[in-house]
Amino acid sequence: MADTSETTAASPAPVVTVIGEALIDMVPGERPGDFRALPGGSPFNVAIGLARLGLRTSLMARLADNAFGRILRGQAEAEGIDLGCAPRAAEPTSLAIVSLNEHAQAHYDFYLDGTADWQWTAAEAADLPPGTAVLHHGSLASWTPPGDAHIHGLAARLHQGGEVLVSYDPNIRPHLLGDPDKARPQVERSVTRTHLVKASREDVAWLYPDTSLEEISARWLGLGALLVVITDGPDGAHLYRPGEQPVTRPGRKAAVADTVGAGDAFTSGFLDALVRRGLHTPERLRQATLTTLAGAADDAILVSSLTCERIGADPPAAMPRPRSSAPTPLTPADLRRAPVRGRAGRG
């Protein structure tokens, strides 16, 4: 996809860096007991979505030096993702066993003890890819010790610097976090060092039982977020800003194959929309109108809905667009199915 209208040959396109887990999803095959090993993990899926939309994308993930790690590394490289700051880890790859219910919704059983994704060192987490304009983090790696402290430290440093836009998606996994009362401080720690927070209605309902979306978003905005986006499945998304009335954008009808990776596709679609509109700095996000941000949400809803029409976390790719049209809304004609490369679910 074309870069923002401000990008010139002397000013390279901004880099969007994603840090977090890249794991293997063991996805059920056609016969009982059969599984396929496919790349997954929410941050990994977000990076795939960003790259397919045409953004310069870097992935900071600890990729094991084993067969599963080579699958992950090969998939990322095939998508054009920069892995220059993705350490080769001595620890094994994390695994998620995937099952689907009768509504095609995914459930995950994780095997995470002693695996590569959580063993970040301070030096590894400080090795930020050159040209990074946006840092996206979240999901399991943002609240799984011991590495979560180093990821938080990177986000906090960039947030304090005020030049890199910090994005966060908690991607709640209740059976891993355990108790909402214990999980909330971990999530809110990240919110305090984030400009853009995206979460699903299911995430926030578990974190804050019997609390309205308005109250939850007000809490996060009070912690310092500039924008809170709460996705609502087929009902679209809700946008919240300090001191302004919230905006709700409708969902889009889709022939749903499954919902695997829908939230990750929304995240990549929203970040792409911000970059195309030149809103990829904290100050520009702060100054953006809700009308403009609503348009970005519409783009993200489109990307997410098209992902739901294909099995697994398999987001669409962007067709080439004229530079002059880069800030304009996306249409289905701007997107196409990417070649099948064995994509999977999310972590």
Side-chain angles (χ1 to χ4, degrees), residues 214-296:
E214 290 73 17
E215 292 172 306
I216 296 164
S217 61
R219 181 178 182 89
W220 285 357
L221 293 170
L223 291 173
L226 300 179
L227 176 66
V228 173
V229 181
I230 298 180
T231 58
D232 205 1
D235 294 323
H238 313 281
L239 286 73
Y240 301 88
R241 285 261 293 258
E244 300 185 55
Q245 289 297 312
V247 170
T248 294
R249 302 307 301 162
R252 181 179 177 275
K253 291 184 179 180
V256 177
D258 64 41
T259 61
V260 175
D264 303 327
F266 182 97
T267 298
S268 58
F270 195 79
L271 293 176
D272 169 70
L274 292 183
V275 171
R276 285 188 292 106
R277 290 164 171 81
L279 304 177
H280 51 278
T281 70
E283 186 57 32
R284 290 180 182 178
L285 181 65
R286 183 182 290 107
Q287 294 177 355
T289 67
L290 267 177
T291 299
T292 299
L293 295 173

Side-chain angles (χ1 to χ4, degrees), residues 152-168:
H152 177 71
L154 172 63
R157 174 170 62 84
L158 296 178
H159 184 271
Q160 184 176 14
E163 296 183 359
V164 174
L165 184 71
V166 180
S167 166
Y168 172 62

